[in-house]
Amino acid sequence: RTATRLDFAMGLSYLDTKVFAFYDSPPAGLHLPKDGHSQASRRRLENGVIVVYNDEHWQRKRGHRPQGAQPVPLSLPFDESKFNFNKADTRETMTSVNLIGDEHPVIVNLSPLMPGHFIVPLWMDLCLPQGALGVDGVCCACALAAASSRADLRVGYNSNGAFASVNHLHIHGLYAAALDGCEATQQFPIEEAPVRALGMAGNVTVSVIEPSQPGGYYVGAFVFEGEMREVG
């Protein structure tokens, strides 16, 4: 079954309900693509990977737009003169969410990778740079995932060196079912990649995804499994 609103599940959490309602009926005057792939060229590769090119996604970015591989310091200081989420239109705010004891705004991504894509600026008024994630930021990401009643919500973070366009501390919320609009899609392709266990760090299991090995994945990654505070 396919859908554009992604409201497959009954008993949605408050967060999910607000996100889906916003995408279904955005505020007047706020342009928001109904379908993140409507203008896209999409190709499915091996291992379930979906490659998407959507020029509108890049054109709508309000921060730094990388032109290719560039060395970027991970510890860039916050720059008030550039776009940051304190400058976002108030109509972009969907709701707020309490993460580890603090309220954080939930903002629509105006250049979404897929329907339902949202952003949570962490401690927005403190004007922290993207490199300031730290232990509390990781715990916020875990708490955000737990705030959803949907098994397919994934929380992402990209540093300045991984093409973050806004140097203002934030994390992303994305629903895996929106990759192809299919209810059965409950995870991102990399989650099915083979892993090799490295060992334990306290009570946290550490594994690695190796792209260089035969049958390996497209990218390398570390995998940490454990309780929220210990992983952080």
Side-chain angles (χ1 to χ4, degrees):
R1 183 158 67 100
T2 60
T4 56
R5 289 185 54 192
L6 302 179
D7 52 359
F8 303 119
M10 299 298 290
L12 293 176
S13 72
Y14 180 81
L15 172 66
D16 300 324
T17 300
K18 286 292 188 180
V19 170
F20 301 153
F22 193 101
Y23 265 86
D24 186 53
S25 182
L30 189 67
H31 173 65
L32 186 64
K34 285 288 186 181
D35 182 345
H37 295 151
S38 60
Q39 304 296 324
S41 173
R42 178 171 57 181
R43 178 177 296 178
R44 187 180 293 274
L45 303 180
E46 295 178 3
N47 300 323
V49 171
I50 299 173
V51 176
V52 176
Y53 176 75
N54 187 339
D55 189 59
E56 184 183 14
H57 168 76
W58 291 102
Q59 295 302 322
R60 291 172 60 85
K61 282 186 173 292
R62 296 176 290 188
H64 173 66
R65 288 191 289 174
Q67 302 301 311
Q70 302 172 344
V72 179
L74 298 183
S75 57
L76 279 175
F78 180 84
D79 187 344
E80 173 63 32
S81 67
K82 296 183 178 180
F83 176 80
N84 62 76
F85 296 110
N86 290 312
K87 298 180 180 181
D89 191 319
T90 57
R91 292 175 297 177
E92 298 172 30
T93 301
M94 298 171 152
T95 184
S96 64
V97 62
N98 188 292
L99 305 175
I100 65 170
D102 293 315
E103 287 291 322
H104 305 270
V106 178
I107 296 176
V108 67
N109 191 326
L110 291 183
S111 55
L113 292 172
M114 58 192 71
H117 187 175
F118 63 87
I119 292 169
V120 178
L122 299 177
W123 303 285
M124 187 169 72
D125 293 341
L126 297 182
C127 298
L128 299 172
Q130 185 67 351
L133 185 68
V135 173
D136 286 344
V138 173
C139 289
C140 280
C142 294
L144 179 60
S148 171
S149 60
R150 288 178 52 117
D152 67 324
L153 177 68
R154 295 296 181 267
V155 178
Y157 165 83
N158 57 324
S159 68
N160 292 318
F163 302 111
S165 58
V166 180
N167 187 28
H168 189 182
L169 183 59
H170 63 283
I171 53 180
H172 296 259
L174 309 103
Y175 294 90
L179 281 169
D180 53 11
C182 180
E183 181 179 3
T185 303
Q186 292 290 295
Q187 59 189 6
F188 281 77
I190 193 171
E191 297 178 63
E192 298 179 347
V195 300
R196 179 174 64 84
L198 294 179
M200 301 292 295
N203 294 320
V204 176
T205 302
V206 183
S207 304
V208 64
I209 296 174
E210 299 176 308
S212 60
Q213 299 301 314
Y217 204 66
Y218 297 98
V219 296
F222 287 103
V223 181
F224 302 90
E225 299 174 88
E227 296 296 323
M228 180 172 69
R229 175 58 64 172
E230 293 175 334
V231 169

